[in-house]
Amino acid sequence: MSLPPLASGPEGPVALRPLLDTVLHALREGTRARGGPLPAGGPEAVAARVRATVGDVLPPEGDPEALRILVHVLAEGSADPADPLCAAHLHCPPLAVATAADLAACALNPSLDSWDQAPAASELEALVTRALAAEAGAADALVTTGGTESNQLALLLAREALGGVRLVCGSNAHHSLTRAAWLLGLPEPVVVAAPCGMLDPAALATALAGLTGPLLVAATAGTTDAGLIDPLPDIADLSARHGARLHIDAAYGGGLLFSERHRALLTGLDRAHTVTLDLHKLGWQPVAAGLLAVHDPHDLDVLRHRADYLNADDDTEAGLPDLLGRSLRTTRRPDILKIAVTLKALGRTGLGSLVDQVCARAQEFADLVLAHPAFELHARPTLSTVLFRPAAASDETVATVRRTLLHDGRAVLGRARLDGRLWLKATLLNPHTRPGDLAALLNLVEGSTPR
């Protein structure tokens, strides 16, 4: 039996080329077989198809068709974020150039836990994280797996900097913040009212006035339910007045930094001690591409850790960079490469144009909803999320319409509960979406609504 080829090394590209042809063909054929934004039939049908196709996951003898078969079944059974009718979540269609860069990262397989495993990748990460931190008015940034890890790190850094901390956040805050407080053994968070989906400064002021001890105020720039941005300058003022540390979760809204047209919506971001950013949302990166920006780089000192086989003292003194303090993870893939390629290939203008495009599509979709007597709009969108519902429908009907479209594989819409009512959520992250696609989406919802 001959040994299977490797992806890197001098012969790696030669070995990869025919395999890439197989993958691309299987992706194309699987997408055609699906025929829409989501596989039809619901969970049972999809699971049955996968089980029947895969068969024995670990057969006695290998199957030379495994790559084609499994890529095909995955593509056929995927929710396709590049389909204009797939608009439920903060699940972006990745850019081709970023995906191609990620292939190189997979082939070379650097691990960013020691310099001798990732000589160039470690320097590239340092360059890009500093540049992105500067965009947010910060001094440095760590690469994370996304908003959840970034928020957990923010609470950890606050706890260590202040010798203990209590989280104060709005009821609109991402669930990962209160969960992180639990994971870190922090006191029960103080949850402040967020009428209309945004943290209320008056309610925050009242809450802070009644609290003592080290506090971390968490604001949100781009909520997951409606894409709303908390009043950041007011919250920064209140945090400073009460001596509280400030964290801003801008996992969704942080992409506005690239847009000259929308950047002002993030005024106050530079006053935060820590900022969550997430480029697998308004950055069009393959998962994962998160960051945590920090205003004071000394906050990261608490992450320093020594393992003799990775960062021995004499190696560090001899000039080998110490990477263990750049993450709580040890083995860590070079997610920075796809980000770096995207920034360099598109530039600020190119990325800003994509941001402007999806925000404009959201406004256009809101216009369609407002003009249609059968629908109700929650509010004009702030980012690229639109909440709407069939007029006079019950919450049960709204939920049923969404599930019907999912089961039939015709459209992927999210759901959000605001103002005590259930809304359909369209999160528009595909810059190739056109007005006709928006009209088709609305027509599908109308056709699925019982009369």
Side-chain angles (χ1 to χ4, degrees):
M1 175 183 173
S2 61
L3 292 174
L6 301 176
S8 58
E11 300 304 317
V14 175
L16 279 172
R17 186 172 297 279
L19 298 176
L20 292 180
D21 288 340
T22 298
V23 166
L24 295 176
H25 179 76
L27 284 173
R28 182 171 58 249
E29 294 305 308
T31 299
R32 287 176 178 169
R34 184 180 66 242
L38 192 76
E44 291 184 5
V46 173
R49 187 159 54 244
V50 171
R51 288 194 298 266
T53 303
V54 174
D56 189 350
V57 174
L58 185 61
E61 301 294 332
D63 182 352
E65 293 294 304
L67 179 63
R68 180 189 61 79
I69 291 170
L70 293 180
V71 172
H72 184 285
V73 77
L74 185 67
E76 184 180 0
S78 289
D80 185 358
D83 191 301
L85 301 180
C86 186
H89 303 288
L90 289 164
H91 177 200
C92 73
L95 292 166
V97 70
T99 305
D102 216 27
L103 169 63
C106 290
L108 295 169
N109 209 28
S111 180
L112 282 142
D113 48 323
S114 66
W115 181 87
D116 57 350
Q117 298 175 80
S122 60
E123 179 60 22
L124 184 63
E125 183 174 89
L127 290 172
V128 176
T129 51
R130 284 196 295 265
L132 288 172
E135 290 294 313
D140 200 357
L142 302 181
V143 175
T144 69
T145 54
T148 294
E149 184 185 349
S150 293
N151 286 340
Q152 290 173 353
L153 267 175
L155 264 69
L156 173 64
L157 296 182
R159 186 191 72 180
E160 297 305 300
L162 301 176
V165 73
R166 189 171 191 183
L167 172 67
V168 182
C169 63
S171 58
N172 63 333
H174 194 263
H175 64 85
S176 62
L177 283 162
T178 52
R179 193 180 191 200
W182 166 70
L183 285 169
L184 293 170
L186 300 178
E188 187 72 18
V190 176
V191 179
V192 178
C196 303
M198 292 180 288
L199 178 58
D200 179 17
L204 177 62
T206 300
L208 291 175
L211 295 171
T212 58
L215 301 172
L216 174 67
V217 173
T220 306
T223 57
T224 52
D225 54 7
L228 302 175
I229 297 176
D230 288 338
L232 303 181
D234 292 342
I235 294 170
D237 288 342
L238 285 168
S239 300
R241 190 176 307 147
H242 289 271
R245 187 177 170 102
L246 176 61
H247 171 66
I248 298 178
D249 178 1
Y252 181 8
L256 299 184
L257 290 169
F258 301 120
S259 167
E260 293 299 324
R261 183 178 304 170
H262 298 288
R263 186 184 176 101
L265 290 172
L266 297 180
T267 297
L269 192 74
D270 59 343
R271 298 175 62 186
H273 294 80
T274 49
V275 177
T276 289
L277 302 171
D278 197 344
L279 295 179
H280 56 246
K281 294 180 174 64
L282 283 182
W284 294 277
Q285 297 299 294
V287 175
L291 298 107
L292 178 71
V294 295
H295 187 269
D296 184 354
H298 293 297
D299 282 350
L300 300 179
D301 292 347
V302 298
L303 299 180
R304 287 179 181 167
H305 182 72
R306 193 179 73 82
D308 193 65
Y309 76 106
L310 293 173
N311 61 344
D313 289 341
D314 58 319
D315 277 349
T316 303
E317 291 168 3
L320 294 184
D322 180 357
L323 304 184
L324 277 187
R326 302 296 298 176
S327 177
L328 291 178
R329 293 171 284 151
T330 304
T331 300
R332 191 161 59 84
R333 73 187 307 273
D335 288 314
I336 204 66
L337 176 61
K338 62 197 175 192
I339 298 172
V341 168
T342 300
L343 298 178
K344 187 76 171 175
L346 273 70
R348 184 187 303 279
T349 300
L351 276 168
S353 177
L354 296 181
V355 172
D356 294 346
Q357 187 83 353
V358 295
C359 290
R361 290 291 87 82
Q363 294 295 336
E364 291 169 8
F365 189 58
D367 289 339
L368 288 175
V369 173
L370 282 171
H372 201 304
F375 289 98
E376 179 182 353
L377 180 72
H378 177 266
R380 301 292 317 188
T382 300
L383 296 176
S384 65
T385 297
V386 182
L387 300 186
F388 69 106
R389 53 181 284 144
S394 66
D395 285 356
E396 182 181 1
T397 296
V398 172
T400 299
V401 167
R402 174 180 174 270
R403 287 193 293 268
T404 297
L405 291 170
L406 289 176
H407 184 274
D408 295 345
R410 291 186 292 161
V412 189
L413 287 167
R415 55 185 286 166
R417 186 170 292 278
L418 275 179
D419 304 332
R421 303 170 73 196
L422 186 65
W423 300 85
L424 295 172
K425 178 175 68 170
T427 308
L428 304 174
L429 292 182
N430 185 347
H432 291 273
T433 297
R434 294 293 176 259
D437 300 319
L438 302 175
L441 181 58
L442 204 58
N443 289 338
L444 281 172
V445 176
E446 183 181 21
S448 300
T449 304
R451 298 185 183 278

